[in-house]
Amino acid sequence: MRVAVISAEAVPYSKTGGLGDVAGALPKALKSIGIDSVLITPCYLQTKGEYLWDTAIHDLNIDWRGGVYRAKAFYSEANGSPTFLIDAPSYFHRDSIYGYSEDHERFAFFNHAAIVLLKRIGAAPNILHLNDWHCGFAAVEIAEKRRWDPFWRDTRTVFSIHNMAYQGGFSAGDLWKFGFGSEFARNAFAFNGYASAMKAGLEVSDTLSTVSRRYAMEIQTVENGYGLDWLTRQRAHRLIGITNGVDYEVWNPETDPELPEHFSIDDLSGKAECKRALLQAFSLPVEMDRPIFANITRLTAQKGIDLMMQVAGEILNAGAYVISLGSGERRYENFWQSLRDYAPRQVGVYRGYNEPLAHLIEAGADMFLMPSKFEPCGLNQMYSLRYGTVPIVRAVGGLDDTVQNWDAVSGTGNGFKFGPYRADRFLEKIYEAIYAFGDKEAWRTIQRNGMTQDNSWENAARKYVKLYEWTLS
Ligand code: ADP
Ligand code: GLC
């Protein structure tokens, strides 16, 4: 079986969030279980030149918007599996990866270029695995092409939803520019008077998946369907949830090159050294008995920052440290900054994106806060589990699938979990965690329960192979 994974971002070439982690790791995991896979992703200004091989460059003349766009495709195996990077400077050599008014055009082009490239390589994939709204365009193009182009006749599409809240909406008048003038295409994109790339992907792909079992149900509800719940319900028989994995070659406290000392389930002494280094990195006084609560995230409403604002004062009153790494909406950045100004000996804040620091925080913190409003999967809670950092999460999406609430009587559970989106419920769990932290033996059990949980990509990749087989049948 040949699989082509298409994604707007993929580690190590580009990353703004979990999609990058997933799209980088899945092809490698597929390869390790014997699936012939190729990844196609854009070559951004942010993509490091060292990853791009200067051999095997394809020059691509792409028919686009009534003319020809001369693009290139670089080849790389920097993520451990064959990858082509579409180089189209006017679209992708920009200061940031997303956030432009013509993002829909940039990714429509990327999708078309990926399809041109696959044909140029000469072997049609059996499965075209598309990710999020950025790839809705390819779903439509393939659905149309396989009616008349024998090359694509046996290709089937799998569309994975990583976040229903981002749907790639644009003016329907633009559809003609990108070659989507047919009635079939226009209907596929049509959504409330404009065009939606997410809706098109959901409607015409052969099968659908999303990144946790619980989120697969949640997107069928009005609350989490963002106007498309009717469509996910309509196609529920073709939709499954597969919880993301963790790339344990990158996130492993026994080998992580970003850590001052390594540690494992049997010997956690190195974790104490990481905690010391973390406090020092933020110029905080080193008091090892005080717990560190940490958070690493895009600062958006999705991540429950509003709840954190409600409980931060109480965490500080309890004598704990709070560390935040993230950037995003101004109001949330301001909140963290002013919290730090208010308690500079207890609060550490880094505004921005910093991969090495993310590793040190996962290793050095005691608890990880993730009170998300919604969370399709979430990766940080799984990194936390492996690093002996106890997650405190809201029971939604992948957080619910991967974190089990601690039960002191049975000694089961790997974290703390609350239900309603309410500050008092969140705070209750924070206090429970502080209490358990004081009981060294209990804490060790919670950590052990988390560190032994297997969230490897190999498990997830096998489920994707089943999905591909199902799609082909
Ligand atoms: P989402 O994709 O919704 O942002 P995930 O939990 O799936 O959430 O993935 C987020 C990924 O991005 C994780 O790998 C996390 O470590 C990383 N990340 C988020 N913000 C930062 C940051 N400021 N610096 C470094 N890594 C970050
Ligand atoms: C999205 C979701 C996140 C998920 C990631 C990877 O960005 O917000 O929950 O882990 O995609 O699937």
Side-chain angles (χ1 to χ4, degrees):
M1 184 193 312
R2 269 191 309 277
V3 179
V5 178
I6 318 276
S7 176
E9 54 181 275
V11 164
Y13 313 106
S14 57
K15 167 170 166 179
T16 68
L19 173 62
D21 287 327
V22 171
L26 174 62
K28 179 167 76 170
L30 289 171
K31 188 174 163 228
S32 75
I33 56 172
I35 302 293
D36 179 3
S37 75
V38 63
L39 167 68
I40 305 180
T41 192
C43 183
Y44 295 102
L45 196 58
Q46 294 77 0
T47 307
K48 290 196 185 126
E50 69 205 61
Y51 297 141
L52 312 176
W53 291 13
D54 44 15
T55 54
I57 296 176
H58 293 265
D59 285 308
L60 300 173
N61 288 336
I62 294 166
D63 47 312
W64 186 243
R65 297 203 56 183
V68 173
Y69 192 112
R70 292 185 202 289
K72 282 188 167 51
F74 295 116
Y75 183 76
S76 179
E77 289 184 3
N79 73 328
S81 77
T83 303
F84 287 98
L85 295 110
I86 304 286
D87 190 41
S90 67
Y91 284 130
F92 302 124
H93 291 202
R94 299 187 182 194
D95 291 340
S96 53
I97 290 178
Y98 310 119
Y100 300 94
S101 58
E102 74 282 22
D103 275 355
H104 62 292
E105 173 169 342
R106 299 168 67 221
F107 293 105
F109 172 83
F110 162 62
N111 282 214
H112 181 54
I115 289 170
V116 170
L117 173 69
L118 283 166
K119 190 156 182 185
R120 170 85 176 272
I121 298 170
N126 306 95
I127 294 289
L128 200 60
H129 186 164
L130 306 168
N131 292 280
D132 264 354
W133 75 262
H134 323 97
C135 298
F137 306 95
V140 179
E141 187 169 338
I142 292 297
E144 291 208 300
K145 284 218 158 105
R146 71 182 178 209
R147 292 190 194 146
W148 55 266
D149 184 346
F151 182 83
W152 295 107
R153 198 181 43 222
D154 297 323
T155 297
R156 296 291 172 269
T157 47
V158 172
F159 187 80
S160 291
I161 303 147
H162 296 260
N163 198 329
M164 201 70 169
Y166 302 100
Q167 300 188 347
F170 59 97
S171 159
D174 284 354
L175 284 170
W176 282 269
K177 296 186 198 167
F178 311 144
F180 293 117
S182 72
E183 194 183 346
F184 169 79
R186 282 183 284 119
N187 285 340
F189 283 98
F191 184 47
N192 291 345
Y194 59 96
S196 159
M198 177 67 104
K199 190 235 167 193
L202 292 177
E203 186 161 302
V204 307
S205 299
D206 294 298
T207 56
L208 310 175
S209 79
T210 185
V211 288
S212 68
R213 292 215 323 267
R214 173 140 182 185
Y215 196 60
M217 294 185 277
E218 288 171 345
I219 55 174
Q220 297 178 48
T221 66
V222 174
E223 189 191 349
N224 287 298
Y226 288 87
L228 287 171
D229 45 292
W230 59 274
L231 184 53
T232 48
R233 282 197 302 277
Q234 194 175 305
R235 303 212 66 207
H237 60 296
R238 297 204 168 232
L239 162 70
I240 67 159
I242 300 177
T243 305
N244 288 331
V246 172
D247 187 339
Y248 288 130
E249 277 177 27
V250 179
W251 294 95
N252 180 353
E254 295 179 45
T255 54
D256 191 331
E258 307 296 348
L259 308 188
E261 271 201 42
H262 293 134
F263 56 93
S264 67
I265 242 178
D266 301 315
D267 180 7
L268 279 165
S269 54
K271 185 166 171 73
E273 282 319 302
C274 293
K275 179 169 181 175
R276 189 184 303 278
L278 177 60
L279 290 170
Q280 283 165 348
F282 280 96
S283 307
L284 293 166
V286 178
E287 292 181 36
M288 299 294 280
D289 288 341
R290 294 175 186 267
I292 304 179
F293 287 82
N295 178 244
I296 304 169
T297 194
R298 296 182 290 119
L299 295 172
T300 65
Q302 171 189 345
K303 301 296 179 178
I305 318 291
D306 295 285
L307 285 193
M308 285 196 230
M309 289 165 137
Q310 300 296 317
V311 302
E314 270 77 8
I315 297 180
L316 296 180
N317 288 343
Y321 296 107
V322 182
I323 285 178
S324 153
L325 162 62
S327 61
E329 287 177 38
R330 181 64 60 82
R331 58 188 165 140
Y332 297 136
E333 290 185 351
N334 288 346
F335 153 67
W336 283 116
Q337 207 53 50
S338 56
L339 194 70
R340 203 202 75 91
D341 294 344
Y342 165 71
R345 292 174 64 78
Q346 278 178 277
V347 180
V349 174
Y350 184 104
R351 193 179 67 196
Y353 188 88
N354 188 326
E355 194 86 28
L357 186 58
H359 285 251
L360 181 63
I361 293 175
E362 283 294 3
D366 297 295
M367 290 93 159
F368 196 92
L369 299 172
M370 230 165 146
S372 304
K373 209 171 232 172
F374 66 92
E375 196 61 74
C377 180
L379 297 172
N380 276 114
Q381 83 280 11
M382 295 195 273
Y383 302 154
S384 298
L385 290 171
R386 184 46 63 117
Y387 282 67
T389 298
V390 175
I392 303 177
V393 306
R394 186 162 168 252
V396 284
L399 299 174
D400 195 33
D401 286 1
T402 55
V403 176
Q404 300 89 42
N405 193 53
W406 167 244
D407 182 317
V409 178
S410 60
T412 55
N414 57 13
F416 295 86
K417 188 158 75 173
F418 66 102
Y421 190 76
R422 274 176 36 190
D424 58 336
R425 296 299 179 84
F426 184 26
L427 196 57
E428 231 169 67
K429 290 296 160 186
I430 288 169
Y431 285 143
E432 276 180 38
I434 293 175
Y435 182 78
F437 182 75
D439 177 344
K440 293 279 169 281
E441 211 171 302
W443 197 252
R444 192 78 180 75
T445 308
I446 305 174
Q447 286 177 308
R448 178 178 292 278
N449 292 347
M451 292 176 89
T452 48
Q453 181 162 308
D454 180 10
N455 292 313
S456 65
W457 258 113
E458 195 184 318
N459 275 344
R462 287 190 195 287
K463 291 183 186 153
Y464 275 107
V465 173
K466 286 221 168 80
L467 166 63
Y468 300 154
E469 284 166 352
W470 178 51
T471 307
L472 291 173
S473 67

